[in-house]
Amino acid sequence: MAFRELNSKMVEATVQPGQRLYSQRGAMLAYRGEVSFTPNVQGGQGGLMSMIGRRVANEATPLMTVEGSGTVLFGHGGHHVQVIELAGDTLYVEADRLLAFDGALQQGTMFMGSQGGVMGMVRGQVSGQGLFTTTLKGHGSVAVMAHGGVFEVPITPQRPVHVDPQAYVAHHGEVRNKLSTALGWRDMVGRGSGEAFQLELSGSGSVYVQASEEKL
């Protein structure tokens, strides 16, 4: 299930019989062919515990199941769209950033505290992302949304990356993240909330950063 970027704010997906994809409700702009759209009351493939986790945190994002045969155009709110191809690894992304994704990907929910303990929880609150994040794993395509465009920054063991929490969109690969405190002159670096905190990502992978500090 491939997505094709038509421009910076629209993607086209080809839907084939026997396959499915999920999209954020209200993201369908137009379609051709025999395509059906069904509300997904379980939030994708995350199962009951995933759904409960998001409901408790009030972070559920309603999805549509898309099936049939044809092509569908997706876009939402005039946000910029970035297509990310997964080749067996895991993408960590906030649910409200998801425009559409391949139904073959395994969807789950990760508690923010599981990476960095209590500081992981603090990260969720500081960045405004909440206490849970969505995971998508396997081989397939994901279309994510952002303000002002998205830039992919490589992460290597020798070169960790520090990101303004408000500019963070998603990351994938074998990456660890933790919240670090900016001191001295670094308090004035960046543009979000005085930059008292930064996200430090280390390991091997990539982080996607938006050119804005606005939430969706």
Side-chain angles (χ1 to χ4, degrees), residues 92-94 110 112-113 115-133 165-166 168-171 176-180 197-201 207:
Y92 299 82
V93 59
E94 302 313 305
M110 185 191 77
M112 294 294 290
Q115 285 202 23
V118 175
M119 291 305 289
M121 297 171 61
V122 174
R123 170 197 152 181
Q125 293 300 309
V126 170
S127 63
Q129 297 168 357
L131 300 180
F132 294 84
T133 195
Q166 304 297 338
Y168 170 87
V169 174
H171 74 270
R176 295 287 300 174
N177 70 83
K178 68 178 182 179
L179 201 70
S180 61
F197 296 95
Q198 300 171 347
L199 292 180
E200 179 182 330
L201 299 106
V207 58

PDB file of all heavy atoms in Angstrom, residues 92-94 110 112-113 115-133 165-166 168-171 176-180 197-201 207:
ATOM      1  N   TYR A  92       7.506   5.878  16.008  1.00  0.00           N
ATOM      2  CA  TYR A  92       6.856   6.438  17.188  1.00  0.00           C
ATOM      3  C   TYR A  92       6.290   7.796  16.788  1.00  0.00           C
ATOM      4  O   TYR A  92       7.035   8.688  16.376  1.00  0.00           O
ATOM      5  CB  TYR A  92       7.862   6.601  18.333  1.00  0.00           C
ATOM      6  CG  TYR A  92       8.481   5.292  18.772  1.00  0.00           C
ATOM      7  CD1 TYR A  92       9.565   4.738  18.081  1.00  0.00           C
ATOM      8  CD2 TYR A  92       7.985   4.592  19.868  1.00  0.00           C
ATOM      9  CE1 TYR A  92      10.130   3.530  18.477  1.00  0.00           C
ATOM     10  CE2 TYR A  92       8.541   3.388  20.277  1.00  0.00           C
ATOM     11  CZ  TYR A  92       9.611   2.866  19.569  1.00  0.00           C
ATOM     12  OH  TYR A  92      10.164   1.673  19.958  1.00  0.00           O
ATOM     13  N   VAL A  93       4.971   7.957  16.898  1.00  0.00           N
ATOM     14  CA  VAL A  93       4.329   9.174  16.409  1.00  0.00           C
ATOM     15  C   VAL A  93       3.063   9.426  17.215  1.00  0.00           C
ATOM     16  O   VAL A  93       2.387   8.489  17.640  1.00  0.00           O
ATOM     17  CB  VAL A  93       4.014   9.052  14.899  1.00  0.00           C
ATOM     18  CG1 VAL A  93       3.093   7.878  14.627  1.00  0.00           C
ATOM     19  CG2 VAL A  93       3.433  10.344  14.337  1.00  0.00           C
ATOM     20  N   GLU A  94       2.738  10.699  17.432  1.00  0.00           N
ATOM     21  CA  GLU A  94       1.522  11.025  18.144  1.00  0.00           C
ATOM     22  C   GLU A  94       0.308  10.714  17.263  1.00  0.00           C
ATOM     23  O   GLU A  94       0.328  10.930  16.053  1.00  0.00           O
ATOM     24  CB  GLU A  94       1.517  12.503  18.539  1.00  0.00           C
ATOM     25  CG  GLU A  94       2.710  12.893  19.390  1.00  0.00           C
ATOM     26  CD  GLU A  94       2.947  11.915  20.525  1.00  0.00           C
ATOM     27  OE1 GLU A  94       2.011  11.685  21.311  1.00  0.00           O
ATOM     28  OE2 GLU A  94       4.052  11.386  20.621  1.00  0.00           O
ATOM     29  N   MET A 110       2.448   3.016  23.351  1.00  0.00           N
ATOM     30  CA  MET A 110       3.543   2.941  24.309  1.00  0.00           C
ATOM     31  C   MET A 110       3.369   4.019  25.364  1.00  0.00           C
ATOM     32  O   MET A 110       3.105   5.176  25.047  1.00  0.00           O
ATOM     33  CB  MET A 110       4.891   3.142  23.609  1.00  0.00           C
ATOM     34  CG  MET A 110       6.091   2.947  24.539  1.00  0.00           C
ATOM     35  SD  MET A 110       7.652   3.484  23.788  1.00  0.00           S
ATOM     36  CE  MET A 110       7.502   5.266  23.949  1.00  0.00           C
ATOM     37  N   MET A 112       4.651   6.675  27.761  1.00  0.00           N
ATOM     38  CA  MET A 112       5.830   7.518  27.641  1.00  0.00           C
ATOM     39  C   MET A 112       6.858   7.238  28.735  1.00  0.00           C
ATOM     40  O   MET A 112       8.050   7.380  28.535  1.00  0.00           O
ATOM     41  CB  MET A 112       5.422   8.992  27.687  1.00  0.00           C
ATOM     42  CG  MET A 112       4.592   9.436  26.489  1.00  0.00           C
ATOM     43  SD  MET A 112       5.505   9.388  24.956  1.00  0.00           S
ATOM     44  CE  MET A 112       6.641  10.730  25.230  1.00  0.00           C
ATOM     45  N   GLY A 113       6.384   6.839  29.924  1.00  0.00           N
ATOM     46  CA  GLY A 113       7.305   6.591  31.012  1.00  0.00           C
ATOM     47  C   GLY A 113       8.210   5.403  30.789  1.00  0.00           C
ATOM     48  O   GLY A 113       9.198   5.224  31.496  1.00  0.00           O
ATOM     49  N   GLN A 115      10.200   4.883  28.395  1.00  0.00           N
ATOM     50  CA  GLN A 115      11.507   5.352  27.936  1.00  0.00           C
ATOM     51  C   GLN A 115      11.895   6.548  28.791  1.00  0.00           C
ATOM     52  O   GLN A 115      11.419   7.650  28.598  1.00  0.00           O
ATOM     53  CB  GLN A 115      11.467   5.764  26.457  1.00  0.00           C
ATOM     54  CG  GLN A 115      11.426   4.594  25.511  1.00  0.00           C
ATOM     55  CD  GLN A 115      11.922   4.967  24.132  1.00  0.00           C
ATOM     56  OE1 GLN A 115      12.673   5.919  23.954  1.00  0.00           O
ATOM     57  NE2 GLN A 115      11.520   4.204  23.148  1.00  0.00           N
ATOM     58  N   GLY A 116      12.717   6.300  29.765  1.00  0.00           N
ATOM     59  CA  GLY A 116      13.163   7.387  30.622  1.00  0.00           C
ATOM     60  C   GLY A 116      12.425   7.464  31.941  1.00  0.00           C
ATOM     61  O   GLY A 116      12.582   8.436  32.673  1.00  0.00           O
ATOM     62  N   GLY A 117      11.613   6.457  32.277  1.00  0.00           N
ATOM     63  CA  GLY A 117      10.945   6.425  33.568  1.00  0.00           C
ATOM     64  C   GLY A 117      10.067   7.644  33.782  1.00  0.00           C
ATOM     65  O   GLY A 117       9.318   8.074  32.903  1.00  0.00           O
ATOM     66  N   VAL A 118      10.165   8.223  34.951  1.00  0.00           N
ATOM     67  CA  VAL A 118       9.362   9.398  35.288  1.00  0.00           C
ATOM     68  C   VAL A 118       9.642  10.538  34.338  1.00  0.00           C
ATOM     69  O   VAL A 118       8.736  11.288  33.956  1.00  0.00           O
ATOM     70  CB  VAL A 118       9.631   9.829  36.742  1.00  0.00           C
ATOM     71  CG1 VAL A 118       8.900  11.121  37.055  1.00  0.00           C
ATOM     72  CG2 VAL A 118       9.181   8.735  37.703  1.00  0.00           C
ATOM     73  N   MET A 119      10.894  10.683  33.915  1.00  0.00           N
ATOM     74  CA  MET A 119      11.236  11.768  32.999  1.00  0.00           C
ATOM     75  C   MET A 119      10.525  11.599  31.668  1.00  0.00           C
ATOM     76  O   MET A 119      10.231  12.582  30.980  1.00  0.00           O
ATOM     77  CB  MET A 119      12.744  11.837  32.785  1.00  0.00           C
ATOM     78  CG  MET A 119      13.512  12.303  34.010  1.00  0.00           C
ATOM     79  SD  MET A 119      12.926  13.886  34.629  1.00  0.00           S
ATOM     80  CE  MET A 119      13.511  14.975  33.325  1.00  0.00           C
ATOM     81  N   GLY A 120      10.233  10.353  31.281  1.00  0.00           N
ATOM     82  CA  GLY A 120       9.448  10.139  30.073  1.00  0.00           C
ATOM     83  C   GLY A 120       8.050  10.708  30.209  1.00  0.00           C
ATOM     84  O   GLY A 120       7.492  11.262  29.266  1.00  0.00           O
ATOM     85  N   MET A 121       7.474  10.605  31.414  1.00  0.00           N
ATOM     86  CA  MET A 121       6.166  11.183  31.675  1.00  0.00           C
ATOM     87  C   MET A 121       6.243  12.703  31.628  1.00  0.00           C
ATOM     88  O   MET A 121       5.361  13.372  31.089  1.00  0.00           O
ATOM     89  CB  MET A 121       5.657  10.710  33.033  1.00  0.00           C
ATOM     90  CG  MET A 121       5.452   9.211  33.126  1.00  0.00           C
ATOM     91  SD  MET A 121       5.097   8.665  34.817  1.00  0.00           S
ATOM     92  CE  MET A 121       3.590   9.566  35.143  1.00  0.00           C
ATOM     93  N   VAL A 122       7.314  13.244  32.198  1.00  0.00           N
ATOM     94  CA  VAL A 122       7.505  14.691  32.175  1.00  0.00           C
ATOM     95  C   VAL A 122       7.614  15.179  30.739  1.00  0.00           C
ATOM     96  O   VAL A 122       7.052  16.200  30.363  1.00  0.00           O
ATOM     97  CB  VAL A 122       8.764  15.091  32.966  1.00  0.00           C
ATOM     98  CG1 VAL A 122       9.045  16.586  32.815  1.00  0.00           C
ATOM     99  CG2 VAL A 122       8.597  14.722  34.429  1.00  0.00           C
ATOM    100  N   ARG A 123       8.334  14.406  29.910  1.00  0.00           N
ATOM    101  CA  ARG A 123       8.470  14.780  28.504  1.00  0.00           C
ATOM    102  C   ARG A 123       7.108  14.926  27.846  1.00  0.00           C
ATOM    103  O   ARG A 123       6.840  15.868  27.109  1.00  0.00           O
ATOM    104  CB  ARG A 123       9.279  13.741  27.750  1.00  0.00           C
ATOM    105  CG  ARG A 123       9.245  13.955  26.237  1.00  0.00           C
ATOM    106  CD  ARG A 123       9.682  12.726  25.477  1.00  0.00           C
ATOM    107  NE  ARG A 123       9.040  12.712  24.170  1.00  0.00           N
ATOM    108  CZ  ARG A 123       9.208  11.764  23.270  1.00  0.00           C
ATOM    109  NH1 ARG A 123       9.989  10.748  23.540  1.00  0.00           N
ATOM    110  NH2 ARG A 123       8.593  11.799  22.114  1.00  0.00           N
ATOM    111  N   GLY A 124       6.219  13.982  28.107  1.00  0.00           N
ATOM    112  CA  GLY A 124       4.900  14.030  27.508  1.00  0.00           C
ATOM    113  C   GLY A 124       4.141  15.272  27.903  1.00  0.00           C
ATOM    114  O   GLY A 124       3.447  15.880  27.094  1.00  0.00           O
ATOM    115  N   GLN A 125       4.264  15.670  29.167  1.00  0.00           N
ATOM    116  CA  GLN A 125       3.558  16.857  29.625  1.00  0.00           C
ATOM    117  C   GLN A 125       4.194  18.137  29.084  1.00  0.00           C
ATOM    118  O   GLN A 125       3.506  19.055  28.650  1.00  0.00           O
ATOM    119  CB  GLN A 125       3.558  16.882  31.159  1.00  0.00           C
ATOM    120  CG  GLN A 125       2.736  15.776  31.778  1.00  0.00           C
ATOM    121  CD  GLN A 125       1.273  15.840  31.365  1.00  0.00           C
ATOM    122  OE1 GLN A 125       0.635  16.868  31.470  1.00  0.00           O
ATOM    123  NE2 GLN A 125       0.758  14.724  30.868  1.00  0.00           N
ATOM    124  N   VAL A 126       5.531  18.203  29.086  1.00  0.00           N
ATOM    125  CA  VAL A 126       6.220  19.403  28.614  1.00  0.00           C
ATOM    126  C   VAL A 126       5.982  19.628  27.134  1.00  0.00           C
ATOM    127  O   VAL A 126       5.760  20.744  26.671  1.00  0.00           O
ATOM    128  CB  VAL A 126       7.736  19.294  28.894  1.00  0.00           C
ATOM    129  CG1 VAL A 126       8.497  20.410  28.188  1.00  0.00           C
ATOM    130  CG2 VAL A 126       7.986  19.344  30.391  1.00  0.00           C
ATOM    131  N   SER A 127       6.024  18.544  26.357  1.00  0.00           N
ATOM    132  CA  SER A 127       5.862  18.678  24.915  1.00  0.00           C
ATOM    133  C   SER A 127       4.406  18.792  24.497  1.00  0.00           C
ATOM    134  O   SER A 127       4.111  19.046  23.332  1.00  0.00           O
ATOM    135  CB  SER A 127       6.498  17.470  24.199  1.00  0.00           C
ATOM    136  OG  SER A 127       5.828  16.275  24.559  1.00  0.00           O
ATOM    137  N   GLY A 128       3.485  18.605  25.444  1.00  0.00           N
ATOM    138  CA  GLY A 128       2.079  18.658  25.115  1.00  0.00           C
ATOM    139  C   GLY A 128       1.595  17.422  24.392  1.00  0.00           C
ATOM    140  O   GLY A 128       0.502  17.417  23.833  1.00  0.00           O
ATOM    141  N   GLN A 129       2.380  16.344  24.395  1.00  0.00           N
ATOM    142  CA  GLN A 129       2.036  15.144  23.650  1.00  0.00           C
ATOM    143  C   GLN A 129       1.268  14.131  24.496  1.00  0.00           C
ATOM    144  O   GLN A 129       0.838  13.106  23.979  1.00  0.00           O
ATOM    145  CB  GLN A 129       3.308  14.493  23.097  1.00  0.00           C
ATOM    146  CG  GLN A 129       4.036  15.380  22.111  1.00  0.00           C
ATOM    147  CD  GLN A 129       5.417  14.865  21.793  1.00  0.00           C
ATOM    148  OE1 GLN A 129       5.856  13.869  22.359  1.00  0.00           O
ATOM    149  NE2 GLN A 129       6.111  15.534  20.909  1.00  0.00           N
ATOM    150  N   GLY A 130       1.092  14.405  25.780  1.00  0.00           N
ATOM    151  CA  GLY A 130       0.379  13.460  26.616  1.00  0.00           C
ATOM    152  C   GLY A 130       1.290  12.348  27.101  1.00  0.00           C
ATOM    153  O   GLY A 130       2.500  12.375  26.927  1.00  0.00           O
ATOM    154  N   LEU A 131       0.684  11.342  27.754  1.00  0.00           N
ATOM    155  CA  LEU A 131       1.455  10.278  28.380  1.00  0.00           C
ATOM    156  C   LEU A 131       1.619   9.045  27.493  1.00  0.00           C
ATOM    157  O   LEU A 131       2.362   8.147  27.841  1.00  0.00           O
ATOM    158  CB  LEU A 131       0.787   9.861  29.695  1.00  0.00           C
ATOM    159  CG  LEU A 131       0.664  10.963  30.739  1.00  0.00           C
ATOM    160  CD1 LEU A 131      -0.017  10.421  31.985  1.00  0.00           C
ATOM    161  CD2 LEU A 131       2.016  11.554  31.086  1.00  0.00           C
ATOM    162  N   PHE A 132       0.935   8.994  26.372  1.00  0.00           N
ATOM    163  CA  PHE A 132       1.012   7.841  25.482  1.00  0.00           C
ATOM    164  C   PHE A 132       1.446   8.286  24.092  1.00  0.00           C
ATOM    165  O   PHE A 132       1.231   9.420  23.690  1.00  0.00           O
ATOM    166  CB  PHE A 132      -0.349   7.137  25.371  1.00  0.00           C
ATOM    167  CG  PHE A 132      -0.801   6.498  26.646  1.00  0.00           C
ATOM    168  CD1 PHE A 132      -1.448   7.241  27.616  1.00  0.00           C
ATOM    169  CD2 PHE A 132      -0.586   5.153  26.883  1.00  0.00           C
ATOM    170  CE1 PHE A 132      -1.859   6.662  28.796  1.00  0.00           C
ATOM    171  CE2 PHE A 132      -1.004   4.562  28.065  1.00  0.00           C
ATOM    172  CZ  PHE A 132      -1.641   5.320  29.028  1.00  0.00           C
ATOM    173  N   THR A 133       2.074   7.385  23.362  1.00  0.00           N
ATOM    174  CA  THR A 133       2.399   7.642  21.969  1.00  0.00           C
ATOM    175  C   THR A 133       2.049   6.400  21.160  1.00  0.00           C
ATOM    176  O   THR A 133       2.013   5.294  21.689  1.00  0.00           O
ATOM    177  CB  THR A 133       3.887   8.003  21.798  1.00  0.00           C
ATOM    178  OG1 THR A 133       4.090   8.566  20.510  1.00  0.00           O
ATOM    179  CG2 THR A 133       4.787   6.792  21.971  1.00  0.00           C
ATOM    180  N   PRO A 165      11.059  20.145  22.035  1.00  0.00           N
ATOM    181  CA  PRO A 165       9.900  19.265  22.172  1.00  0.00           C
ATOM    182  C   PRO A 165       8.699  19.705  21.341  1.00  0.00           C
ATOM    183  O   PRO A 165       7.934  18.871  20.857  1.00  0.00           O
ATOM    184  CB  PRO A 165       9.583  19.312  23.669  1.00  0.00           C
ATOM    185  CG  PRO A 165      10.889  19.658  24.315  1.00  0.00           C
ATOM    186  CD  PRO A 165      11.567  20.581  23.351  1.00  0.00           C
ATOM    187  N   GLN A 166       8.521  21.005  21.160  1.00  0.00           N
ATOM    188  CA  GLN A 166       7.376  21.488  20.408  1.00  0.00           C
ATOM    189  C   GLN A 166       7.533  21.256  18.906  1.00  0.00           C
ATOM    190  O   GLN A 166       6.549  21.291  18.162  1.00  0.00           O
ATOM    191  CB  GLN A 166       7.160  22.982  20.673  1.00  0.00           C
ATOM    192  CG  GLN A 166       6.989  23.342  22.129  1.00  0.00           C
ATOM    193  CD  GLN A 166       5.752  22.723  22.761  1.00  0.00           C
ATOM    194  OE1 GLN A 166       4.816  22.359  22.057  1.00  0.00           O
ATOM    195  NE2 GLN A 166       5.744  22.586  24.068  1.00  0.00           N
ATOM    196  N   TYR A 168       9.066  18.469  17.658  1.00  0.00           N
ATOM    197  CA  TYR A 168       9.135  17.022  17.426  1.00  0.00           C
ATOM    198  C   TYR A 168       7.861  16.518  16.758  1.00  0.00           C
ATOM    199  O   TYR A 168       6.748  16.880  17.153  1.00  0.00           O
ATOM    200  CB  TYR A 168       9.346  16.312  18.765  1.00  0.00           C
ATOM    201  CG  TYR A 168       9.193  14.805  18.707  1.00  0.00           C
ATOM    202  CD1 TYR A 168      10.266  13.993  18.379  1.00  0.00           C
ATOM    203  CD2 TYR A 168       7.969  14.204  18.983  1.00  0.00           C
ATOM    204  CE1 TYR A 168      10.117  12.606  18.329  1.00  0.00           C
ATOM    205  CE2 TYR A 168       7.815  12.831  18.940  1.00  0.00           C
ATOM    206  CZ  TYR A 168       8.892  12.036  18.611  1.00  0.00           C
ATOM    207  OH  TYR A 168       8.737  10.675  18.558  1.00  0.00           O
ATOM    208  N   VAL A 169       8.019  15.669  15.724  1.00  0.00           N
ATOM    209  CA  VAL A 169       6.883  15.059  15.045  1.00  0.00           C
ATOM    210  C   VAL A 169       6.857  13.551  15.269  1.00  0.00           C
ATOM    211  O   VAL A 169       5.848  12.990  15.682  1.00  0.00           O
ATOM    212  CB  VAL A 169       6.917  15.359  13.529  1.00  0.00           C
ATOM    213  CG1 VAL A 169       5.810  14.599  12.799  1.00  0.00           C
ATOM    214  CG2 VAL A 169       6.798  16.857  13.275  1.00  0.00           C
ATOM    215  N   ALA A 170       7.977  12.869  14.992  1.00  0.00           N
ATOM    216  CA  ALA A 170       8.027  11.413  15.103  1.00  0.00           C
ATOM    217  C   ALA A 170       9.487  10.974  15.029  1.00  0.00           C
ATOM    218  O   ALA A 170      10.370  11.757  14.685  1.00  0.00           O
ATOM    219  CB  ALA A 170       7.223  10.763  13.970  1.00  0.00           C
ATOM    220  N   HIS A 171       9.741   9.700  15.344  1.00  0.00           N
ATOM    221  CA  HIS A 171      11.070   9.137  15.124  1.00  0.00           C
ATOM    222  C   HIS A 171      10.944   7.640  14.880  1.00  0.00           C
ATOM    223  O   HIS A 171       9.931   7.022  15.225  1.00  0.00           O
ATOM    224  CB  HIS A 171      12.021   9.426  16.300  1.00  0.00           C
ATOM    225  CG  HIS A 171      11.747   8.617  17.539  1.00  0.00           C
ATOM    226  ND1 HIS A 171      10.898   9.037  18.530  1.00  0.00           N
ATOM    227  CD2 HIS A 171      12.236   7.410  17.948  1.00  0.00           C
ATOM    228  CE1 HIS A 171      10.863   8.131  19.496  1.00  0.00           C
ATOM    229  NE2 HIS A 171      11.667   7.127  19.171  1.00  0.00           N
ATOM    230  N   ARG A 176      16.810   5.765  21.582  1.00  0.00           N
ATOM    231  CA  ARG A 176      16.412   6.052  22.957  1.00  0.00           C
ATOM    232  C   ARG A 176      16.190   7.552  23.079  1.00  0.00           C
ATOM    233  O   ARG A 176      16.878   8.346  22.448  1.00  0.00           O
ATOM    234  CB  ARG A 176      17.508   5.614  23.940  1.00  0.00           C
ATOM    235  CG  ARG A 176      17.745   4.124  23.971  1.00  0.00           C
ATOM    236  CD  ARG A 176      16.615   3.396  24.660  1.00  0.00           C
ATOM    237  NE  ARG A 176      16.443   3.820  26.049  1.00  0.00           N
ATOM    238  CZ  ARG A 176      15.440   3.411  26.838  1.00  0.00           C
ATOM    239  NH1 ARG A 176      14.517   2.603  26.354  1.00  0.00           N
ATOM    240  NH2 ARG A 176      15.361   3.820  28.085  1.00  0.00           N
ATOM    241  N   ASN A 177      15.210   7.934  23.876  1.00  0.00           N
ATOM    242  CA  ASN A 177      14.976   9.363  24.071  1.00  0.00           C
ATOM    243  C   ASN A 177      14.865   9.686  25.544  1.00  0.00           C
ATOM    244  O   ASN A 177      14.392   8.871  26.337  1.00  0.00           O
ATOM    245  CB  ASN A 177      13.722   9.802  23.311  1.00  0.00           C
ATOM    246  CG  ASN A 177      12.450   9.255  23.910  1.00  0.00           C
ATOM    247  OD1 ASN A 177      11.913   9.797  24.859  1.00  0.00           O
ATOM    248  ND2 ASN A 177      11.969   8.136  23.360  1.00  0.00           N
ATOM    249  N   LYS A 178      15.314  10.855  25.903  1.00  0.00           N
ATOM    250  CA  LYS A 178      15.183  11.313  27.276  1.00  0.00           C
ATOM    251  C   LYS A 178      15.058  12.822  27.278  1.00  0.00           C
ATOM    252  O   LYS A 178      15.422  13.503  26.315  1.00  0.00           O
ATOM    253  CB  LYS A 178      16.386  10.880  28.120  1.00  0.00           C
ATOM    254  CG  LYS A 178      17.705  11.550  27.746  1.00  0.00           C
ATOM    255  CD  LYS A 178      18.826  11.098  28.676  1.00  0.00           C
ATOM    256  CE  LYS A 178      20.141  11.790  28.352  1.00  0.00           C
ATOM    257  NZ  LYS A 178      21.221  11.374  29.267  1.00  0.00           N
ATOM    258  N   LEU A 179      14.530  13.322  28.371  1.00  0.00           N
ATOM    259  CA  LEU A 179      14.368  14.757  28.531  1.00  0.00           C
ATOM    260  C   LEU A 179      15.616  15.311  29.198  1.00  0.00           C
ATOM    261  O   LEU A 179      16.085  14.775  30.203  1.00  0.00           O
ATOM    262  CB  LEU A 179      13.136  15.039  29.394  1.00  0.00           C
ATOM    263  CG  LEU A 179      12.511  16.412  29.275  1.00  0.00           C
ATOM    264  CD1 LEU A 179      11.849  16.559  27.917  1.00  0.00           C
ATOM    265  CD2 LEU A 179      11.472  16.607  30.379  1.00  0.00           C
ATOM    266  N   SER A 180      16.179  16.356  28.603  1.00  0.00           N
ATOM    267  CA  SER A 180      17.345  16.991  29.211  1.00  0.00           C
ATOM    268  C   SER A 180      17.023  18.448  29.497  1.00  0.00           C
ATOM    269  O   SER A 180      16.175  19.055  28.836  1.00  0.00           O
ATOM    270  CB  SER A 180      18.564  16.902  28.282  1.00  0.00           C
ATOM    271  OG  SER A 180      18.319  17.571  27.062  1.00  0.00           O
ATOM    272  N   PHE A 197      13.531  22.662  28.555  1.00  0.00           N
ATOM    273  CA  PHE A 197      13.766  21.249  28.315  1.00  0.00           C
ATOM    274  C   PHE A 197      14.034  20.999  26.841  1.00  0.00           C
ATOM    275  O   PHE A 197      13.565  21.728  25.973  1.00  0.00           O
ATOM    276  CB  PHE A 197      12.543  20.412  28.744  1.00  0.00           C
ATOM    277  CG  PHE A 197      12.256  20.460  30.210  1.00  0.00           C
ATOM    278  CD1 PHE A 197      11.331  21.353  30.714  1.00  0.00           C
ATOM    279  CD2 PHE A 197      12.906  19.609  31.088  1.00  0.00           C
ATOM    280  CE1 PHE A 197      11.063  21.407  32.068  1.00  0.00           C
ATOM    281  CE2 PHE A 197      12.652  19.653  32.443  1.00  0.00           C
ATOM    282  CZ  PHE A 197      11.722  20.557  32.942  1.00  0.00           C
ATOM    283  N   GLN A 198      14.804  19.951  26.586  1.00  0.00           N
ATOM    284  CA  GLN A 198      15.062  19.495  25.231  1.00  0.00           C
ATOM    285  C   GLN A 198      14.905  17.984  25.192  1.00  0.00           C
ATOM    286  O   GLN A 198      15.069  17.310  26.209  1.00  0.00           O
ATOM    287  CB  GLN A 198      16.481  19.859  24.780  1.00  0.00           C
ATOM    288  CG  GLN A 198      16.796  21.335  24.772  1.00  0.00           C
ATOM    289  CD  GLN A 198      18.268  21.607  24.538  1.00  0.00           C
ATOM    290  OE1 GLN A 198      19.099  20.701  24.623  1.00  0.00           O
ATOM    291  NE2 GLN A 198      18.607  22.858  24.257  1.00  0.00           N
ATOM    292  N   LEU A 199      14.578  17.444  24.008  1.00  0.00           N
ATOM    293  CA  LEU A 199      14.561  16.000  23.820  1.00  0.00           C
ATOM    294  C   LEU A 199      15.909  15.575  23.270  1.00  0.00           C
ATOM    295  O   LEU A 199      16.372  16.111  22.270  1.00  0.00           O
ATOM    296  CB  LEU A 199      13.465  15.593  22.827  1.00  0.00           C
ATOM    297  CG  LEU A 199      12.027  15.780  23.268  1.00  0.00           C
ATOM    298  CD1 LEU A 199      11.091  15.324  22.157  1.00  0.00           C
ATOM    299  CD2 LEU A 199      11.742  15.019  24.537  1.00  0.00           C
ATOM    300  N   GLU A 200      16.544  14.630  23.936  1.00  0.00           N
ATOM    301  CA  GLU A 200      17.815  14.084  23.461  1.00  0.00           C
ATOM    302  C   GLU A 200      17.554  12.683  22.912  1.00  0.00           C
ATOM    303  O   GLU A 200      17.107  11.800  23.637  1.00  0.00           O
ATOM    304  CB  GLU A 200      18.838  14.019  24.583  1.00  0.00           C
ATOM    305  CG  GLU A 200      20.175  13.435  24.144  1.00  0.00           C
ATOM    306  CD  GLU A 200      21.172  13.336  25.278  1.00  0.00           C
ATOM    307  OE1 GLU A 200      21.109  14.169  26.206  1.00  0.00           O
ATOM    308  OE2 GLU A 200      22.015  12.413  25.258  1.00  0.00           O
ATOM    309  N   LEU A 201      17.805  12.495  21.618  1.00  0.00           N
ATOM    310  CA  LEU A 201      17.590  11.211  20.963  1.00  0.00           C
ATOM    311  C   LEU A 201      18.930  10.628  20.560  1.00  0.00           C
ATOM    312  O   LEU A 201      19.725  11.294  19.893  1.00  0.00           O
ATOM    313  CB  LEU A 201      16.682  11.366  19.747  1.00  0.00           C
ATOM    314  CG  LEU A 201      15.276  11.911  20.073  1.00  0.00           C
ATOM    315  CD1 LEU A 201      15.177  13.363  19.625  1.00  0.00           C
ATOM    316  CD2 LEU A 201      14.195  11.080  19.419  1.00  0.00           C
ATOM    317  N   VAL A 207      14.871  11.289  13.249  1.00  0.00           N
ATOM    318  CA  VAL A 207      13.805  12.039  13.906  1.00  0.00           C
ATOM    319  C   VAL A 207      13.252  13.028  12.891  1.00  0.00           C
ATOM    320  O   VAL A 207      13.997  13.593  12.086  1.00  0.00           O
ATOM    321  CB  VAL A 207      14.302  12.761  15.181  1.00  0.00           C
ATOM    322  CG1 VAL A 207      15.444  13.715  14.879  1.00  0.00           C
ATOM    323  CG2 VAL A 207      13.152  13.505  15.867  1.00  0.00           C
TER     324      VAL A 207
END
